Amino acid sequence: MTQTARFQEILRRLAIFDEGFIESGPGHDRAEISVLDPKVAALLQIAVSVAIGSSAVCLQWSVARALASGASREEIAEVLLAIGPVAGLGRVVSAAPKVAIALGYDVEAALQEMDDH
């Protein structure tokens, strides 16, 4: 399938809410045929999850997927900074502790520790 035909097929199927297509792509594993690098796709999923106010479980899954795709903790944190102006500070601030926990860092405990000193 040519690039032009592929993008047209994707948009056509999304427009009719073809759930099967969204799950599997056009008869293939999307990861195998995507023009996006798996790490970039995983970082985008984190960004969107934060922007729409996803639950902690969704953020944990997205972070785990990004780490498995080769993203660093720094890259994941930078995603939060990058989307702040568009997603809104409230969404980013709300998601930061959840993302931190997914990265193995308890930011709330660290803040409490700072207050104790």
Side-chain angles (χ1 to χ4, degrees), residues 13-74:
R13 294 293 184 97
L14 289 172
I16 64 169
F17 199 72
D18 185 342
E19 290 181 82
F21 179 78
I22 294 168
E23 293 291 323
S24 65
H28 304 287
D29 178 14
R30 279 190 327 225
E32 292 176 9
I33 61 171
S34 178
V35 295
L36 290 178
D37 175 88
K39 180 174 86 170
V40 170
L43 290 171
L44 286 169
Q45 285 183 340
I46 291 171
V48 171
S49 293
V50 170
I52 66 172
S54 291
S55 68
V57 171
C58 289
L59 287 170
Q60 288 173 353
W61 179 85
S62 295
V63 167
R65 186 166 184 262
L67 291 169
S69 296
S72 70
R73 288 181 164 106
E74 291 78 15

Side-chain angles (χ1 to χ4, degrees), residues 50 79-81 83-85 87-97:
V50 170
V79 164
L80 299 182
L81 287 177
I83 68 168
L89 188 57
R91 291 277 191 198
V92 173
V93 167
S94 176

